[in-house]
Amino acid sequence: MCGIAGVWGRDALARTKTMLPPLYHRGPDGEGLWSNGNLAIGHRRLAINDLSESGIQPMVSLDGNVVIGVNGEIYNYVELRRELESYGCVFQSACDSEVVLHAWSIWAEACFIRFNGMFAISIYDQRKNCLILARDRLGIKPLYYHQPSKNELLFSSEVKSLKAGVQNQKFGIDPVGLAQFLTYQNYFDQRTLSADVLMLSPGAILIFSDQGFLVKPYWSLKHRYRNDLSFDDAVEEYKHTLDAAIERHLMSDVPVASYLSAGFDSASVADRASVLGEPPVSFTGAFAEGEWYDESSIASDLAAKNGSKHVVVPIGWADVPRVFDRLIFALDEPRMGMGALPQYCVAEQVAKTHKVVLTGHGGDELFSGYPVFKLIHALYGSKRKKNGFLGGLSKIERSELPHLVYFFLSQYRSNRYRQFLPVLNGSRSLRLGLRAEFASAVCDIAPEEELLKSGFEGESIEDKLYRHYLQTYLNGLLVVEDKISMAHSLESRTPLLDNELLQLSLSMPASVKLNGGVLKAVVKKAGLGRLPRVLYSQPKRGFPTPLRFWLRGPLSEWFSQRIIGEDSALKLMFEEKWLRATYNNYIGSYIQKVRPLDEIQSHRMWQLLSLESWLRQNVV
């Protein structure tokens, strides 16, 4: 894992040099620069595979025609290397990134679809005098770019690095990005919160030269259902495919650790990693606020079964003011929910002993782990007529009910609610809260518009649901995970998003994934005999954070100052009267004893707190 940056245009080398120090945390093991005068590519290295100097980047082909800077891992590089060697390619290192150098020389744009991995790649092709940027198909690795003029382009793994490349000038606020964040706590298409800063879409390539500029997909999400696939056959395929994926993701010349919770995804990853290699040290975040917020005892049982050393990371209210501004700085912009806080604290601990950690990201999105999948299948699935709506919801867990009710009612509201994603703020609330200059720019925007345009003709409701979660919701989670881990010079790997598991997921009908009305039915059946039975009696948590107790308790003064204090940066954007009413309503809320409802309110508070920190660091 690394950081890449570059400039095409005036003072390319000097500007790229200024962009690398902000990326130091992504690659403390070394720095590299290449330039031909008009273009410069820079690289910060976190050495994982081939720790020798032969893995230093940017890499240049022996004929000097191709230059690469790679952030990520190519897990099938051994197979690709053999194939490339059969074409006569001569390798100078054992580094997986060198595969990219030769793959471009042989296959050009067709090389990206061959890579099974996570990557953000920059390539200069001297023969065509063009720069190519590419991002992996699900967006595990981020890549930003900024085009200040027709003949200039800056790119980097992080926005703070781009800012250094434009002499630390402040980027403005993108009103569309702001509308998307305030509504969904996420960004769609190539949007960010910063004006003139775009994030290359997952599965896309950007081609830039003096002759023009083009962004196009090299991969698109399409379901190819195998309607003859039985549930039992799907389970067996999943087990074999999972093992192969995890074995690939254990590729490393340094020890590999694992996150571990009381959920099926991280438990499955840690379990199979222990079987297929040396049991990884497992890390679990723990809160002292009660059973719902503490998964450490179950995680300890899982680790004991796997034979791995287990490290429990205590997380308390004092960690919020300790890390909050650093967390938002690391993210580049606020995104997603309060689960980022415990992620940051656990990654901080993992990085003290390890460079690589396995995560369970993607299992819910690939194999129907959210209650909304069950609801939409019951409403619109192909077997609805046979079983009826209630038949599709025959097995409802208590923890699923609030989510099912919320998304069911959302289907009868405005279009922004009908995208199967949680909506934190409606247009009416934003009109009341935003100052006039922001309200006029934001409230007439349809924040869901760029989400909808990514669909395709003839797409079913269920396919739309999967697309939203795989390409948008998951992408937000992955960007957060990347920024948090790399803030601590830690590479996080997501074996559940391996190409072969993704392909298997896209071949499974919803009726298989939700067999018997059970969320993640394939994953759970595959775990029988592998995972402890206690796991099957646990409700779905999703790394819950007891922020609602902290904000009304030991953090009340800190919370008050951030939201309604004299120096709160939120006053730049929101009406003070609205902020005070929002704060008072939360502090005295009558639903605070109803955990699911109160957590929705707490997500709104997290959103405001995150935005306040970002405004103070980037706008004030």
Side-chain angles (χ1 to χ4, degrees):
M1 195 69 62
C2 307
I4 59 173
V7 176
W8 180 301
R10 60 178 177 82
D11 302 324
L13 180 59
R15 295 161 78 186
T16 301
K17 284 181 177 179
T18 67
M19 295 169 70
L20 290 178
L23 297 178
Y24 178 85
H25 54 281
R26 299 189 73 94
D29 295 333
E31 178 178 294
L33 271 166
W34 172 91
S35 179
N36 65 358
N38 189 53
L39 168 67
I41 297 175
H43 187 271
R44 288 294 325 182
R45 186 186 187 201
L46 182 66
I48 304 294
N49 297 302
D50 189 349
L51 308 184
S52 72
E53 291 189 0
S54 60
I56 290 175
Q57 297 186 50
M59 288 184 178
V60 184
S61 62
L62 291 175
D63 60 11
N65 284 329
V66 181
V67 183
I68 63 164
V70 179
N71 167 29
E73 303 286 357
I74 309 299
Y75 298 116
N76 63 334
Y77 86 99
V78 173
E79 299 93 320
L80 291 175
R81 176 172 176 149
R82 290 196 200 103
E83 187 174 357
L84 289 164
E85 285 175 333
S86 72
Y87 285 98
C89 296
V90 177
F91 283 74
Q92 305 298 310
S93 75
C95 183
D96 60 298
S97 293
E98 191 179 353
V99 163
V100 177
L101 189 73
H102 299 291
W104 176 263
S105 298
I106 300 298
W107 298 311
E109 292 177 24
C111 71
F112 301 117
I113 200 69
R114 291 172 173 261
F115 298 153
N116 188 350
M118 54 179 185
F119 56 82
I121 294 173
S122 59
I123 301 174
Y124 173 63
D125 190 323
Q126 181 176 279
R127 295 161 297 187
K128 300 177 181 178
N129 190 31
C130 67
L131 171 70
I132 300 92
L133 304 178
R135 194 168 171 220
D136 63 75
R137 58 188 67 186
L138 289 178
I140 303 171
K141 295 292 102 191
L143 187 56
Y144 298 90
Y145 65 95
H146 168 61
Q147 190 176 14
S149 67
K150 181 180 178 181
N151 298 317
E152 286 185 288
L153 184 77
L154 288 77
F155 66 90
S156 181
S157 299
E158 299 193 5
V159 177
K160 59 182 72 68
S161 171
L162 287 180
K163 186 183 292 186
V166 292
Q167 289 76 51
N168 288 313
Q169 73 179 45
K170 293 183 177 180
F171 294 115
I173 297 175
D174 181 353
V176 178
L178 179 60
Q180 292 173 353
F181 172 71
L182 290 174
T183 304
Y184 298 106
Q185 214 166 194
N186 203 356
Y187 310 94
F188 307 145
D189 195 33
Q190 298 192 90
R191 292 286 173 186
T192 70
L193 192 50
S194 300
D196 302 319
V197 174
L198 298 175
M199 175 183 280
L200 186 63
S201 298
I205 58 175
L206 181 156
I207 304 172
F208 184 85
S209 70
D210 290 331
Q211 280 69 51
F213 174 95
L214 174 67
V215 175
K216 62 181 181 179
Y218 69 85
W219 179 85
S220 58
L221 192 157
K222 291 183 180 178
H223 287 89
R224 294 176 173 83
Y225 293 123
R226 293 156 54 192
N227 292 316
D228 60 341
L229 182 67
S230 71
F231 176 68
D232 288 339
D233 287 344
V235 170
E236 289 305 309
E237 283 197 41
Y238 170 81
K239 289 164 73 172
H240 296 309
T241 309
L242 175 67
D243 281 3
I246 290 176
E247 193 164 18
R248 278 189 286 271
H249 281 68
L250 290 174
M251 170 191 81
S252 176
D253 290 333
V254 298
V256 177
S258 179
Y259 291 135
L260 185 59
S261 70
F264 279 91
D265 296 326
S266 67
S268 296
V269 169
D271 171 73
R272 302 318 296 165
S274 298
V275 171
L276 296 166
E278 185 71 21
V281 178
S282 56
F283 291 80
T284 305
F287 303 101
E289 278 73 18
E291 183 179 349
W292 178 262
Y293 298 99
D294 186 6
E295 302 174 276
S296 60
S297 61
I298 295 172
S300 294
D301 291 342
L302 292 167
K305 176 190 175 297
N306 296 340
S308 65
K309 179 183 177 182
H310 186 226
V311 178
V312 176
V313 183
I315 305 168
W317 64 266
D319 287 307
V320 179
R322 180 179 70 85
V323 307
F324 192 78
D325 290 327
R326 282 191 281 149
L327 167 60
I328 301 304
F329 178 78
L331 292 178
D332 276 325
E333 57 196 356
R335 193 169 193 150
M336 307 306 283
M338 51 190 164
L341 174 76
Q343 283 178 262
Y344 188 94
C345 293
V346 178
E348 184 179 44
Q349 181 64 38
V350 177
K352 293 177 180 178
T353 53
H354 289 78
K355 278 186 171 183
V356 181
V357 65
L358 302 177
T359 88
H361 283 75
D364 288 322
E365 291 79 12
L366 263 65
F367 297 103
S368 300
Y370 298 121
V372 65
F373 288 95
K374 184 186 291 190
L375 173 69
I376 298 307
H377 184 59
L379 285 171
Y380 303 105
S382 59
K383 293 187 177 181
R384 184 191 173 195
K385 291 182 180 180
K386 178 180 178 181
N387 298 327
F389 172 62
L390 292 178
L393 294 176
S394 57
K395 291 186 178 180
I396 302 178
E397 303 293 335
R398 184 179 178 183
S399 61
E400 298 171 3
L401 190 57
H403 303 272
L404 292 170
V405 171
Y406 173 83
F407 284 110
F408 179 79
L409 295 177
S410 294
Q411 299 308 297
Y412 299 95
R413 302 185 70 179
S414 66
N415 200 34
R416 72 181 58 193
Y417 285 89
R418 295 200 302 271
Q419 307 312 313
F420 322 118
L421 299 172
V423 173
L424 282 191
N425 297 289
S427 57
R428 182 175 180 274
S429 175
L430 294 178
R431 284 188 187 279
L432 290 171
L434 290 168
R435 295 174 66 90
E437 60 270 32
F438 285 99
S440 61
V442 168
C443 293
D444 292 331
I445 291 171
E448 72 278 7
E449 186 173 322
E450 289 181 338
L451 180 65
L452 293 171
K453 76 178 185 181
S454 62
F456 54 90
E457 187 176 352
E459 183 178 44
S460 70
I461 298 292
E462 283 191 282
D463 285 355
K464 174 183 171 183
L465 165 69
Y466 279 97
R467 176 170 52 80
H468 283 1
Y469 273 83
L470 276 172
Q471 290 192 309
T472 301
Y473 188 80
L474 177 60
N475 182 234
L477 295 176
L478 292 172
V479 170
V480 169
E481 174 58 35
D482 170 86
K483 298 292 185 62
I484 286 174
S485 59
M486 292 308 294
H488 303 292
S489 305
L490 176 68
E491 174 178 293
S492 58
R493 296 183 175 181
T494 55
L496 297 182
L497 298 179
D498 184 89
N499 285 1
E500 292 188 9
L501 277 169
L502 174 61
Q503 182 178 337
L504 177 61
S505 167
L506 295 175
S507 75
M508 285 187 186
S511 57
V512 171
K513 294 178 181 178
L514 296 165
N515 184 67
V518 176
L519 291 177
K520 220 147 48 177
V522 171
V523 175
K524 291 176 180 177
K525 179 68 177 293
L528 291 174
R530 292 179 167 186
L531 302 176
R533 292 294 306 186
V534 66
L535 205 61
Y536 289 78
S537 61
Q538 298 302 306
K540 182 174 180 57
R541 290 183 175 92
F543 217 158
T545 306
L547 189 71
R548 61 196 189 101
F549 298 124
W550 297 343
L551 295 182
R552 297 185 180 104
L555 291 177
S556 58
E557 184 176 349
W558 178 85
F559 177 43
S560 172
Q561 289 300 313
R562 290 297 179 107
I563 301 295
I564 60 175
E566 184 177 343
D567 297 327
S568 173
L570 289 173
K571 293 179 180 179
L572 294 172
M573 184 176 290
F574 294 93
E575 295 287 352
E576 187 170 354
K577 182 179 179 181
W578 182 87
L579 285 172
R580 191 167 293 278
T582 300
Y583 169 81
N584 288 334
N585 288 340
Y586 178 75
I587 291 298
S589 174
Y590 65 91
I591 63 170
Q592 61 184 275
K593 293 184 178 180
V594 184
R595 182 190 53 76
L597 297 178
D598 197 35
E599 285 186 347
I600 294 174
Q601 291 193 108
S602 297
H603 273 286
R604 292 192 182 103
M605 298 306 105
W606 176 269
Q607 183 186 60
L608 289 174
L609 289 166
S610 302
L611 187 57
E612 195 278 337
S613 179
W614 183 84
L615 288 168
R616 187 155 29 82
Q617 295 184 62
N618 293 275
V619 178
V620 175

